[in-house]
Each structure stands twice: as C-alpha cells, then as structure tokens.
Amino acid sequence: MYNETLSVFVIQGDNMKNILIGVTGGISAYKSANIISKLKKKGYNIKVIMTKNATEIITPLTLETLARDRVVIDMWEKKSNYDVEHISLAEWADLILVAPATYNIIGKIANGIADDMLSTVISAAKAPIYFAIAMNVNMYENPILHENISKLKNYGYNFIDSDEGFLACNTTGKGRLRNEDEIIKIVETHFNYKILSGKKILITAGRTEEKIDPIRYLSNKSSGKMGYSIAKYAKELGAEVILIAGPNSQEDIKGITTIKVNTALQMYEKVFEYYSNVDTVFAVAAVADYRAKDISKNKIKKNDENLVIELVRNPDILFEMGKQKENQLLIGFCAESENLIENAYKKLEKKNLDYIIANHTTYFSSNKNKVVLIDKNKNNIEFDEANKEEIAKKLLNKIFNI
Ligand code: CTP
C-alpha cells in the first residue's frame, strides 16, 4: 500500500503523525538511526526513548541529532517543565515503534513490568504499539518468548517478525531485525489504513431478480463478490459504507449498513435515499435491464404454444446518478463479452462517470477477476488476473491514491 505519493501526502498534509521510537539494547540498535532518519525525512514528528542498555550500543547523541529532539532515557532526569514525562510522551504518540525489540522488553511488557522510561511509557500508552523483534536465534526459539508474544497479541500489540539471516552471535537463523524500509512501510501502512475515514461510500452489489410468476424470475450469474470485496476494503480504510445488495450468498460484513433488495426498482429507490449524502459510489451490481410487464399471480402453466413474456425497461440506476451528479465520485462497472474497451468508453461518457471498471463476462460468479480501470480522460490501467479481494484493494488504492 505504500508508495511515494503517500510520503508526499504525509509531508504536505496536516497529518504530521507523532511516532515515538523505543530503542532497546540489541546489537541492531544501531539500525534505529536509519529508521529515525528516514521517518524524519518523510515529515513525521519523532521522539526517541532509549533503554540504558541501548546507549551502550549507539550513542544518544546520534539519535538525538537525527530526531532533532532530546532523547529520553532516565525516568528521574530533571527537566524545566512540570509534565509527568512518561504520561505526556504516552499521550503524545500516535504510534509507538520499538525497534529493535529485545526478548527482555517483550517479556517485561507481557508481564506487567514497568521499571524504566520505555516500559513505563508503553504501559501507559493508548496508541498502537509495534515491536520489531530482534534477538539471538536461541532466544527467538525460546517458547517463553512466543507465549509472551501471543499474550501481547491478544491485548492488541503488533509484532514485526524478524528475518532469518546471519546474526551478530556468529550463527545463522531467525532473529535479525527486519529491513528498515520494510519496518517503515508497516508503520506507514498503519497510518494509511484509515485514509478514507470521514468518507461515505455507497456500493451496489449482486444481481437483481425480476419476478415472472411466484416461482420464476429473470436474473443473472452475478455473485456479489466484487461489490462485497470493495465494501470490505473501503470499511477497512475507515469509510462509512452503505451496501445495497441484490440476492447473493455473501456473508454480511460487520460494521457495514447492508440493505437487501430484490428488484432493480427496489435498488433504484434505495440508492436515491442515500445518493445525495455520499461522497463516492461504486455501482457494481449487475442490474437487470428489463422486468416482466406483468407478474403472473399464479404459476404460469405450459401449453403447446410458445410463451411470450413482455418485458419493460428497468431504470438505469447509474445513468440516473450520472444525471443528478453533484460532487460525488461516480464509479461504474461494465461487463462485456466483446469489444470491452470500446463499450466501456461509451458507458463512461453516457453515464457521466469518473471511472469505469471493465471486465469480461467470463468472470461473472468467479472468485477471480481481470479488470481494466479507465478514468474519465480514457487513461487505461490493466490489472492482472487476481482474486476479487486483491482486485478490490488495487482498485481502491489507485482511485484514492494510496
Ligand atoms: N447499471 C445500473 N442500472 C442498470 C443497469 C446497469 O445501475 N439498470 C450499472 C451497473 O451497476 C454498472 C453499469 O451500469 O455499473 C454498467 O452495467 P452493464 O450491465 O455493464 O451495462 P448496461 O448499462 O446495462 O448496458 P448493456 O446491458 O447494454 O451492456
């Protein structure tokens, strides 16, 4: 999810996040200098707490210079202001990254020990905490560590597992601090995660069913999977999601308002209840273009003649949204069995869309998809075939510049 656009976003926006970096006494403590320097260059506010042991490996002066701020080590150091420092630091942090995180610090936090500045701040913090594990391979393999990690995970602490490689203790194995860029990427992904908070997104999904008689209907093979995958990821990114779904067998998504409908007319009605209040629409539903003019009250009986059912046009919900568009970002889908791009361009224009996502009808009801994202200037981006969850992520990341 990380790309260079994000770093620009962080530097230029109001989102100057506060990252508190805890440095403990593993040999890879020297790598924290690189992490601090890179995060600082990206525009984050950085404060550093070192344990006493860490100061044996890298000098506070080095980290202080890179962080452009005083490094905190001692709980009882005299200061010019009267803040309770461990509390104010805990409150200041939007995220705490402990890198390297030794066997010792993980053990202390897991067992409620707060006997120095870093362990005290972590224990008082409400911010998300990431431990980037680094230690000797035998310590790494000690089951006590894994008990502590799993206990902490249950309390919501996050871990950046170590890599395998040549270790300072002259052996090869697991315990090496993860590459600095990967650690930074995980931190940035965390911040990026809620990038859609405050946005309201309306999504239509699934098929519609247009009744002919009490037991028969006109419909199509759409599974709803693509729309539900978009809904799920948009929710994960912090958006408020309203999902208007035709019949499908997808599981409900926790935290999403899901409105179930059967017919195109019902979908149309529900969409326009919400449309004027949303920022973005993904029209993913495979809406039936026609419905029976008259629905037979009783089961239609066969006879020797051919059966003719008169069909009338359903409203084109997306076309109507395009007509009434104010500030909404309007994204349509387009399923074609031939002339994919040509037809997609026509629908993009006709329905007044900001983006159209073109896919081949062979992916209907499949778990996979292969799509082309087309913007309103007709720039195309092709995505390789992947499962629908992956495609949903790629589409949203592209559309929202994540
Ligand atoms: N759509 C809609 N209401 C309809 C038909 C389609 O909102 N009655 C939306 C779909 O959700 C999709 C887009 O319009 O986002 C294109 O749908 P598609 O079925 O590919 O095309 P149609 O416009 O129905 O055109 P055709 O069936 O002729 O290909």
Side-chain angles (χ1 to χ4, degrees):
M1 273 177 32
Y2 168 78
N3 62 24
E4 286 304 316
T5 332
L6 171 64
S7 56
V8 173
F9 166 77
V10 171
I11 292 165
Q12 293 177 343
D14 307 323
N15 280 29
M16 304 286 276
K17 297 285 186 190
N18 298 338
I19 304 178
L20 181 64
I21 300 194
V23 183
T24 65
I27 194 67
S28 56
Y30 74 94
K31 292 185 182 169
S32 64
N34 205 9
I35 296 174
I36 292 166
S37 160
K38 287 189 172 187
L39 284 172
K40 193 73 195 171
K41 278 192 195 131
K42 282 171 176 283
Y44 292 100
N45 301 312
I46 304 290
K47 286 188 186 291
V48 181
I49 303 179
M50 297 177 80
T51 62
K52 281 232 167 66
N53 288 342
T55 65
E56 301 290 331
I57 294 158
I58 182 163
T59 70
L61 182 65
T62 308
L63 301 191
E64 216 154 76
T65 311
L66 294 169
R68 305 204 234 324
D69 199 16
R70 183 176 69 93
V71 164
V72 183
I73 305 157
D74 192 350
M75 282 282 282
W76 311 110
E77 188 188 334
K78 298 248 177 332
K79 295 191 293 112
S80 51
N81 61 45
Y82 289 96
D83 276 352
V84 181
E85 193 162 33
H86 66 272
I87 301 298
S88 63
L89 278 172
E91 282 172 356
W92 174 85
D94 292 312
L95 182 143
I96 299 177
L97 168 68
V98 186
T102 53
Y103 184 93
N104 188 40
I105 188 80
I106 295 168
K108 282 206 283 192
I109 304 302
N111 291 287
I113 297 168
D115 63 351
D116 62 2
M117 189 53 119
L118 182 60
S119 52
T120 309
V121 168
I122 292 174
S123 306
K126 294 257 188 288
I129 294 166
Y130 282 77
F131 290 106
I133 304 171
M135 63 194 65
N136 155 276
V137 63
N138 295 334
M139 291 170 101
Y140 183 87
E141 283 169 3
N142 191 324
I144 295 174
L145 173 78
H146 296 281
E147 259 176 49
N148 287 335
I149 290 177
S150 95
K151 181 173 173 187
L152 288 171
K153 277 187 178 166
N154 284 338
Y155 284 117
Y157 291 83
N158 306 286
F159 287 83
I160 303 172
D161 202 3
S162 44
D163 273 341
E164 238 179 81
F166 188 68
L167 303 174
C169 44
N170 245 343
T171 46
T172 303
K174 205 148 179 194
R176 224 163 73 155
L177 186 72
R178 272 276 269 288
N179 171 285
E180 292 98 295
D181 288 332
E182 281 175 41
I183 293 176
I184 290 170
K185 188 169 161 184
I186 291 167
V187 167
E188 297 214 281
T189 302
H190 177 95
F191 287 136
N192 214 13
Y193 209 52
K194 299 288 175 201
I195 203 157
L196 296 186
S197 51
K199 277 206 189 298
K200 273 193 179 178
I201 301 190
L202 174 69
I203 299 169
T204 67
R207 59 182 191 269
T208 62
E209 287 179 358
E210 312 296 334
K211 269 183 150 185
I212 296 169
D213 73 7
I215 54 166
R216 301 182 178 99
Y217 55 78
L218 279 173
S219 193
N220 59 61
K221 281 168 46 181
S222 167
S223 64
K225 178 94 185 172
M226 194 68 241
Y228 273 65
S229 299
I230 291 176
K232 194 167 169 210
Y233 186 52
K235 164 83 180 50
E236 276 173 30
L237 293 174
E240 184 187 332
V241 177
I242 299 129
L243 178 62
I244 302 181
N248 68 78
S249 50
Q250 303 298 319
E251 266 181 41
D252 282 351
I253 306 165
K254 213 172 137 212
I256 290 186
T257 312
T258 306
I259 298 156
K260 294 273 176 68
V261 295
N262 283 310
T263 66
L265 283 177
Q266 289 167 353
M267 186 173 275
Y268 177 86
E269 218 173 89
K270 283 294 166 195
V271 161
F272 281 96
E273 258 180 47
Y274 291 91
Y275 184 54
S276 58
N277 282 322
V278 298
D279 308 286
T280 306
V281 178
F282 284 88
V284 197
V287 185
D289 291 320
Y290 296 92
R291 66 180 183 277
K293 186 169 178 231
D294 301 302
I295 302 171
S296 170
K297 227 171 93 222
N298 297 312
K299 184 182 169 204
I300 299 172
K301 303 296 282 179
K302 65 175 168 300
N303 57 35
D304 293 337
E305 303 296 312
N306 287 341
L307 174 69
V308 176
I309 298 171
E310 190 178 350
L311 301 178
V312 293
R313 272 292 306 270
N314 270 329
D316 185 327
I317 306 170
L318 186 55
F319 177 76
E320 292 301 326
M321 283 195 270
K323 262 192 358 198
Q324 298 181 34
K325 184 157 92 170
E326 289 172 344
N327 299 316
Q328 296 92 339
L329 188 75
L330 211 50
I331 301 145
F333 270 71
C334 140
E336 304 292 341
S337 53
E338 54 184 353
N339 305 328
L340 184 68
I341 302 298
E342 201 182 301
N343 285 327
Y345 284 167
K346 282 187 196 150
K347 289 179 190 175
L348 179 79
E349 268 177 23
K350 187 174 168 208
K351 303 195 190 199
N352 190 20
L353 306 179
D354 297 286
Y355 290 94
I356 193 152
I357 296 151
N359 63 349
H360 202 272
T361 44
T362 44
Y363 289 98
F364 253 61
S365 80
S366 158
N367 272 336
K368 294 198 164 174
N369 208 350
K370 184 170 186 294
V371 302
V372 183
L373 173 67
I374 303 168
D375 71 15
K376 62 176 165 202
N377 300 319
K378 298 186 176 157
N379 298 310
N380 299 3
I381 303 175
E382 277 187 43
F383 294 98
D384 291 340
E385 184 184 88
N387 67 42
K388 287 183 174 168
E389 277 109 354
E390 265 317 297
I391 297 279
K393 286 186 180 173
K394 287 187 176 156
L395 288 172
L396 266 67
N397 289 350
K398 200 76 218 167
I399 291 168
F400 294 111
N401 240 335
I402 298 171

